[in-house]
Amino acid sequence: MERVDHLADERNKAEFNVDDMKIVWAGSRHAFDVSNRISRLVANDPIFEKSKRAVMSRKELFKNTLRKSVHAWKMIKELRLSDEEGIKLRSFMDQPGFLDLHWGMFVPAIKGQGTEEQQQKWLSLANKMQIIGCYAQTELGHGSNVQGLETTATFDPKTDQFIIHSPTQTSSKWWPGGLGKVSTHAVVYARLITDGKDHGVHGFIVQLRSLDDHSPLPGITVGDIGMKFGNGAYNSMDNGFLMFDHFRIPRDQMLMRLSKVTREGKYVASDVPRQLVYGTMVYVRQSIVSNASTALARAVCIATRYSAVRRQFGSQDGGIETQVIDYKTQQNRLFPLLASAYAFRFVGEWLKWLYTDVTQRLEASDFATLPEAHACTAGLKSMTTSATSDGIEECRKLCGGHGYLWCSGLPELFAVYVPACTYEGDNVVLQLQVARFLMKTVSQLGSGKAPSGTTAYMGRAKHLLQCRSGVRNAEDWLNPGMVLEAFEARSLRMAVTCANNLSKFENQEQGFSELLADLVEAATAHCQLIVVSKFIAKVEGNIEGKGVKKQLKNLCYIYALYLLHKHLGDFLSTNSVTPEQGSLANRQLQSLYSQVRPNAVALVDAFDYTDHYLGSVLGRYDGNVYPKLFEEALKDPLNDSVVPDGYHEYIRPLIKQRFRSAKL
């Protein structure tokens, strides 16, 4: 039966070449080809079918995840996929599982903190999946405060072993993915103690389960922490707990690239700078930012297509109703999220460059840019994941009542994504790290040390503290220089105000504690400036493709002006813009929405997501929503029978008023 495209009219409105935009979104022709090929490879494999996840029991879901994960690994080996292709395949499988932590945390930890000998021994096993690893850092009582971890690793010189122990209930490892039921090994973070002295938290490679029968080794208590938010969603992952009872490991299983313990029990720092650890942190956080753009793009794709399909009100004399996407209230909520997806994509690209740059500098023992890179990646991780989780929920609301259905894809997407606001650093805690860096940068402005990187604008403090925006009409808000100056002035003035208020306290830490809310807002303003500046740099650069640059410029200024509108209080209170200029920005924003409207469906088509990956009846490429909603409803187990189980026991006695025979 021929597939009818119910969104064909929308796609015909596009004023740009969608295939060209797909390449820009992917980053390159090569990246697009890989993504396109692997996504369809997954979509056409019945083992990766995922429509029944919501009605699976926890055990069924977990076993289903094991099946898919092992099948994915076999495909990677049999098809001889590259590392890049393997990462894409696991991503398009779209089911959280132990592979995520094995490849995303366990292997990088050994690469970053293990000696060459340790890497040769352990990575040869891990890369062949002969051992399965996880990353056991977070404890029941401590997450963000890594230095507060309680698990101990005490060196015993008599046996040349470390004794790993959980001295309290709160010292239990709690949350590591893959730990609960699958991992055979873990990189465990514990307080290193030699001769009674605490040397702080270090990493150790610890075998948890037998490689013969998978049973926990003596001295180890391990299991799953239980059900989590949502149906399906992250419940496919075996997040676990782990307790040690004086468990012994050989001394050489301490990760010793940065420091080691000798046979005699002497603690020795290596010649390798500890700052190298930050390279891995930058890599992980740039991956999180890239994933934010992907997740937000999925939600926006669903909401945009459905908004074009859905019609409500507005009919005259029984005529056709108005498409929901044509209502300005829908555009005001939806199009900034579309712009945000593109903005996060491009700042993610820039972070990949930053990771390469930081890595090269670290290898050359150049640590000058490290504090700025650390603060930048911390802030962007926080800002993008918060905006994305909020954006997914907004997309659910934009889809009305049907958005609440599991088959819309949005409830599960939200449940899977929202932990990103907490893992790899709580978002508020991370913004406070940015704030500390900003306060230090402001304090050094008069020292002759020029700010660099994303804080370079602070070097023009004298001008930015005094300047007034030159915007005179709405079109001026399409001038990149004027937009950037407004964001720079706002960010600098908020940071300087915090620094001035902080200086009034005799005790700086007490002052920092009192000003936490203001400091978070100043850090957020700085991070928003980074994203705006990188988006502007992208659209002002060389972009190929028919009509592509114009559409990206529209999205860029929607992103910037939406932030200005949303945070207008900050811009006004810092005198970065006047109330009249704020009104002009809003007028220009409404004009940009009208320009994006005919291109909206094509702009989400450029994400090139398969229906399988979207997992949404509302976001189907062909827009054939209503018949498919009925199909999904009829698949529900409650509809296996016309008369429900329980009718004779409960419903019939109720309506017949025969309560004595009811099984209550």
Side-chain angles (χ1 to χ4, degrees):
M1 183 172 154
E2 185 179 354
R3 185 178 186 181
V4 177
D5 185 356
H6 294 264
L7 289 168
D9 289 344
E10 286 293 324
R11 296 187 168 103
N12 289 334
K13 296 175 184 176
E15 300 162 342
F16 67 99
N17 186 297
V18 178
D19 290 334
D20 291 337
M21 186 68 85
K22 288 179 179 179
I23 294 172
V24 174
W25 172 263
S28 67
R29 163 63 72 176
H30 167 75
F32 167 74
D33 288 341
V34 170
S35 181
N36 182 272
R37 178 164 45 84
I38 299 298
S39 67
R40 280 146 184 82
L41 183 69
V42 172
N44 292 325
D45 191 322
I47 289 184
F48 293 123
E49 197 275 337
K50 59 184 186 180
S51 65
K52 299 177 182 178
R53 283 199 298 231
V55 296
M56 287 182 176
S57 69
R58 180 80 196 285
K59 285 186 175 182
E60 289 172 336
L61 179 63
F62 179 67
K63 190 170 182 179
N64 178 262
T65 306
L66 296 181
R67 180 189 184 210
K68 289 180 178 177
S69 299
V70 172
H71 183 65
W73 174 247
K74 287 171 65 178
M75 287 180 68
I76 290 169
K77 302 307 293 180
E78 291 172 2
L79 299 176
R80 298 183 179 181
L81 300 184
S82 65
D83 288 345
E84 177 188 13
E85 292 168 328
I87 291 170
K88 283 291 183 185
L89 191 147
R90 293 195 297 273
S91 172
F92 287 125
M93 186 176 82
D94 192 36
Q95 193 151 314
F98 67 90
L99 290 178
D100 302 343
L101 281 300
H102 177 85
W103 293 108
M105 297 297 290
F106 180 72
V107 169
I110 296 173
K111 284 181 178 178
Q113 299 170 46
T115 63
E116 288 187 14
E117 293 81 7
Q118 288 176 320
Q119 291 185 46
Q120 186 175 1
K121 174 182 178 180
W122 295 104
L123 292 181
S124 62
L125 297 170
N127 288 336
K128 297 174 185 173
M129 297 295 294
Q130 292 175 331
I131 61 172
I132 301 170
C134 65
Y135 187 86
Q137 177 174 290
T138 300
E139 295 179 353
L140 184 61
H142 289 89
S144 298
N145 182 14
V146 176
Q147 297 310 312
L149 295 180
E150 299 176 82
T151 303
T152 57
T154 305
F155 182 64
D156 180 359
K158 296 178 182 177
T159 60
D160 196 27
Q161 294 175 320
F162 285 106
I163 304 170
I164 313 293
H165 185 60
S166 305
T168 64
Q169 188 176 55
T170 52
S171 69
S172 310
K173 296 300 177 185
W174 191 276
W175 273 114
L179 170 64
K181 293 295 175 182
V182 178
S183 292
T184 62
H185 291 67
V187 171
V188 174
Y189 287 86
R191 312 194 70 81
L192 171 59
I193 299 172
T194 62
D195 197 23
K197 184 177 180 181
D198 187 332
H199 298 280
V201 176
H202 291 67
F204 302 82
I205 300 175
V206 182
Q207 183 173 347
L208 308 175
R209 293 178 168 96
S210 164
L211 295 178
D212 294 322
D213 63 7
H214 207 60
S215 59
L217 299 181
I220 285 178
T221 302
V222 62
D224 187 274
I225 63 172
M227 286 287 288
K228 299 171 286 285
F229 185 50
N231 281 13
Y234 225 84
N235 289 300
S236 57
M237 178 74 79
D238 56 323
N239 297 90
F241 63 80
L242 171 64
M243 292 193 77
F244 298 99
D245 183 5
H246 300 91
F247 185 77
R248 290 177 176 267
I249 62 170
R251 176 173 56 88
D252 65 6
Q253 287 181 215
M254 171 187 171
L255 291 171
M256 294 190 182
R257 185 183 184 192
L258 304 178
S259 57
K260 65 180 180 180
V261 172
T262 66
R263 175 66 185 85
E264 296 73 31
K266 183 180 179 182
Y267 179 81
V268 181
S270 80
D271 296 332
V272 178
R274 293 193 66 83
Q275 290 94 329
L276 284 176
V277 175
Y278 288 106
T280 303
M281 187 180 296
V282 171
Y283 170 76
V284 171
R285 287 179 178 164
Q286 68 87 15
S287 299
I288 291 174
V289 173
S290 293
N291 291 340
S293 75
T294 301
L296 184 55
R298 287 177 70 175
V300 169
C301 184
I302 294 167
T304 300
R305 287 176 178 170
Y306 181 62
S307 295
V309 169
R310 183 74 165 177
R311 293 179 178 273
Q312 208 77 185
F313 302 113
S315 66
Q316 299 295 326
D317 301 322
I320 194 167
E321 291 181 283
T322 302
Q323 289 172 279
V324 170
I325 199 171
D326 285 329
Y327 288 105
K328 294 298 181 182
T329 48
Q330 193 82 349
Q331 295 175 14
N332 285 344
R333 298 161 64 195
L334 178 59
F335 292 167
L337 297 176
L338 173 60
S340 297
Y342 276 89
F344 297 167
R345 190 69 166 189
F346 298 139
V347 81
E349 283 183 2
W350 172 74
L351 282 177
K352 288 180 182 177
W353 169 86
L354 181 68
Y355 168 67
T356 303
D357 180 68
V358 166
T359 302
Q360 292 172 348
R361 289 174 181 269
L362 289 177
E363 289 173 351
S365 297
D366 175 4
F367 309 121
T369 63
L370 196 56
E372 190 265 336
H374 176 256
C376 168
T377 53
L380 290 175
K381 181 272 178 185
S382 172
M383 196 206 85
T384 57
T385 54
S386 291
T388 295
S389 60
D390 291 345
I392 294 169
E393 169 62 5
E394 186 68 9
C395 286
R396 183 193 66 77
K397 295 174 185 175
L398 284 164
C399 291
H402 296 334
Y404 193 65
L405 286 168
W406 189 88
C407 66
S408 77
L410 293 166
E412 187 179 35
L413 178 59
F414 178 77
V416 167
Y417 187 78
V418 76
C421 295
T422 305
Y423 61 61
E424 289 308 303
D426 175 85
N427 281 357
V428 173
V429 173
L430 289 181
Q431 288 294 23
L432 291 173
Q433 292 178 11
V434 178
R436 285 189 183 276
F437 173 72
L438 292 178
M439 294 305 96
K440 183 176 181 180
T441 303
V442 170
S443 71
Q444 295 174 339
L445 287 178
S447 67
K449 182 180 179 181
S452 62
T454 58
T455 56
Y457 69 97
M458 290 187 169
R460 296 182 289 110
K462 186 175 181 180
H463 168 73
L464 290 173
L465 289 172
Q466 298 175 348
C467 69
R468 294 290 180 266
S469 174
V471 169
R472 291 184 172 84
N473 55 60
E475 289 71 28
D476 284 343
W477 280 119
L478 300 180
N479 182 312
M482 290 185 175
V483 171
L484 280 175
E485 186 173 80
F487 275 83
E488 288 171 349
R490 169 221 187 190
S491 179
L492 178 68
R493 293 173 189 184
M494 290 177 73
V496 168
T497 298
C498 284
N500 288 338
N501 290 335
L502 200 57
S503 67
K504 298 173 184 177
F505 290 84
E506 290 185 14
N507 184 314
Q508 290 291 291
E509 285 305 310
Q510 180 190 354
F512 202 87
S513 179
E514 290 292 328
L515 298 171
L516 286 178
D518 292 341
L519 288 162
V520 167
E521 289 183 2
T524 300
H526 173 68
C527 293
Q528 289 173 346
L529 166 61
I530 294 173
V531 180
V532 168
S533 66
K534 299 309 172 187
F535 204 167
I536 287 177
K538 178 73 175 183
V539 301
E540 293 298 325
N542 182 35
I543 298 176
E544 297 180 356
K546 178 188 173 185
V548 169
K549 187 164 188 168
K550 182 179 187 302
Q551 297 306 317
L552 290 179
K553 277 193 171 185
N554 287 342
L555 292 173
C556 175
Y557 290 105
I558 283 177
Y559 181 73
L561 297 182
Y562 170 75
L563 288 179
L564 192 154
H565 176 69
K566 182 179 180 182
H567 300 279
L568 187 58
D570 290 343
F571 285 90
L572 292 175
S573 66
T574 57
N575 293 315
S576 303
V577 302
T578 65
E580 292 76 18
Q581 290 168 336
S583 296
L584 290 172
N586 194 45
R587 187 188 307 170
Q588 184 58 58
L589 190 57
Q590 300 306 315
S591 173
L592 289 168
Y593 291 158
S594 297
Q595 294 177 56
V596 164
R597 165 62 190 95
N599 298 283
V601 169
L603 283 166
V604 300
D605 284 350
F607 302 149
D608 197 42
Y609 293 151
T610 63
D611 283 347
H612 172 273
Y613 184 59
L614 277 183
S616 170
V617 171
L618 304 188
R620 292 173 56 88
Y621 182 85
D622 63 8
N624 190 25
V625 171
Y626 298 124
K628 296 300 179 181
L629 278 173
F630 254 101
E631 284 185 22
E632 289 301 315
L634 294 174
K635 291 178 185 176
D636 192 281
L638 277 181
N639 290 320
D640 287 347
S641 61
V642 176
V643 176
D645 291 342
Y647 168 75
H648 291 287
E649 294 90 343
Y650 305 109
I651 299 176
R652 180 178 171 81
L654 175 65
I655 61 179
K656 298 296 185 181
Q657 299 294 296
R658 296 173 182 172
F659 296 116
R660 290 181 181 178
S661 61
K663 296 182 179 180
L664 299 177

